[in-house]
Amino acid sequence: MSSKIGVDIGGTKIRLGVISENFDVLKDITIPTKLPVYSYLENEIQKLLVEFPEVDGIGIGTRGMVDHKKGIVLYEKELEGWEGTEVKSLLEAATNIRVEVNNDANCAALAEAKLGAGRGFERVICLTIGTCLGGGLIFNQKVMNGAHGGAGEVGHLILYPQGLLCGCGRKGCTEQYVSGTALRRMIVEKRVIDPVTNAFVTPEQLFRLATNDQQNAVEVRERFLTDLALVISNLQAVLDIDCLVIGGGVSESAHDWWDLLMDKVNPLKLQPLEIRRALFGNESGMLGAALLVRN
Ligand SMILES: [Zn+2]
């Protein structure tokens, strides 16, 4: 029985898994991200290959923008030295095993489309609402990478021209309004404070307070859900997807806002659209990375 290694490279943590042919997770470890990323990664993978010599494919999902054909990290500013790394050719030479590299949000989307909430649908988009806003497009179980590896960058759709400055250097990107970071900014601006500790609330607490009708919390929730509904409607207009999956850290509090979001999205729908909560949590990036080398 052959198995695959899936790796999810984040800014602070790297998650590595070994997945069997039947999608059983044989190994699942999380380690801190260390620089330089490549040599550290190769070393960790070599250790896994000693333990699982049957591995015949290695999938890597990483933050940043990726040239999936060449397996090169095209753009990544956080992890020094990682940008420009020819991951695929270096790792294939080191291990003699097939390697595929893609963006972390694309990997998460692939896991949801193939094994998770989007299973059975033809055209799936997965939004990962965490610290940032990631997106991945999966059509007929394949990642849509775009001409330059930049497809599915939902976080950088411009929502408010001349709006807040984004990390990409432009103004008004969706990520500045629909993400955990955006919620934290609005919590400070609206001074949404925990009545007991007197500290600013977390996004999760914000939605709880809003459910209990705390006025400032309700206003932040309103802004967030209105913007998210707009984005969903625009994505549908362009892509006519049949399933949209929402995951990421912020989605963990969806029980407090899901119905309100549907109330906002439903009148904007142009076609039928199934909207679902992600089935997987943080493991989706690692699972999806392993799926990159499935066929
Ligand atoms: Zn941007």
Side-chain angles (χ1 to χ4, degrees):
M1 275 278 269
S2 68
S3 51
K4 317 289 180 198
I5 290 177
V7 186
D8 183 12
I9 300 174
T12 56
K13 285 179 237 163
I14 296 177
R15 189 162 177 166
L16 300 103
V18 179
I19 315 294
S20 79
E21 203 77 357
N22 308 320
F23 306 111
D24 293 322
V25 179
L26 308 175
K27 180 105 181 178
D28 182 358
I29 53 170
T30 301
I31 53 176
T33 306
K34 285 184 188 164
L35 302 179
V37 177
Y38 179 75
S39 52
Y40 177 60
L41 176 72
E42 187 189 309
N43 190 42
E44 292 299 325
I45 286 173
Q46 296 285 17
K47 280 195 261 177
L48 280 180
L49 290 174
V50 172
E51 197 179 337
F52 298 93
E54 78 281 12
V55 166
D56 62 359
I58 303 167
I60 313 274
T62 174
R63 45 172 296 138
M65 213 176 268
V66 173
D67 177 335
H68 71 282
K69 286 182 196 147
K70 293 181 184 151
I72 300 174
V73 182
L74 285 181
Y75 181 91
E76 208 302 302
K77 293 298 172 202
E78 203 95 326
L79 302 171
E80 212 187 311
W82 187 228
E83 181 177 287
T85 304
E86 299 188 9
V87 185
K88 180 180 166 78
S89 60
L90 287 169
L91 203 53
E92 282 185 344
T95 61
N96 248 326
I97 293 171
R98 179 187 167 204
V99 175
E100 297 294 337
V101 189
N102 215 307
N103 162 272
D104 52 359
N106 285 345
C107 291
L110 187 60
E112 288 295 341
K114 274 199 159 177
L115 307 173
R119 199 172 168 176
F121 290 91
E122 206 175 301
R123 295 163 72 86
V124 179
I125 186 160
C126 182
L127 303 183
T128 306
I129 315 177
T131 311
C132 304
L133 174 63
L137 283 173
I138 312 294
F139 292 173
N140 298 314
Q141 311 225 334
K142 283 212 167 74
V143 177
M144 294 293 108
N145 290 288
H148 313 93
E153 291 283 345
V154 176
H156 300 286
L157 283 173
I158 293 178
L159 193 62
Y160 293 104
Q162 303 309 317
L164 295 164
L165 185 65
C166 181
C168 71
R170 306 174 312 153
K171 285 180 178 173
C173 288
T174 302
E175 184 167 284
Q176 302 306 314
Y177 303 90
V178 181
S179 64
T181 307
L183 283 168
R184 284 175 203 281
R185 171 183 56 76
M186 292 189 276
I187 285 165
V188 173
E189 282 171 4
K190 283 274 171 194
R191 305 200 63 74
V192 186
I193 285 165
D194 184 310
V196 180
T197 64
N198 254 337
F200 288 118
V201 296
T202 62
E204 199 176 353
Q205 292 169 314
L206 169 97
F207 291 117
R208 202 75 295 240
L209 282 177
T211 300
N212 295 326
D213 294 324
Q214 204 268 8
Q215 195 45 44
N216 287 3
V218 169
E219 285 173 31
V220 174
R221 181 186 65 190
E222 176 67 18
R223 182 77 270 153
F224 172 79
L225 294 180
T226 302
D227 287 343
L228 177 55
L230 248 180
V231 170
I232 292 172
S233 142
N234 287 341
L235 290 170
Q236 179 184 47
V238 180
L239 301 165
D240 189 14
I241 48 221
D242 50 3
C243 181
L244 180 136
V245 178
I246 300 178
V250 175
S251 74
E252 280 162 30
S253 59
H255 50 273
D256 270 323
W257 49 262
W258 192 262
D259 292 347
L260 292 166
L261 177 66
M262 295 309 121
D263 290 345
K264 289 181 183 295
V265 173
N266 285 333
L268 300 174
K269 277 186 189 170
L270 297 164
Q271 305 288 347
L273 171 63
E274 186 72 25
I275 303 177
R276 294 187 172 179
R277 276 185 69 175
L279 186 70
F280 301 115
N282 184 259
E283 71 274 28
S284 61
M286 174 269 283
L287 284 175
L291 292 174
L292 292 173
V293 283
R294 273 285 286 198
N295 43 38

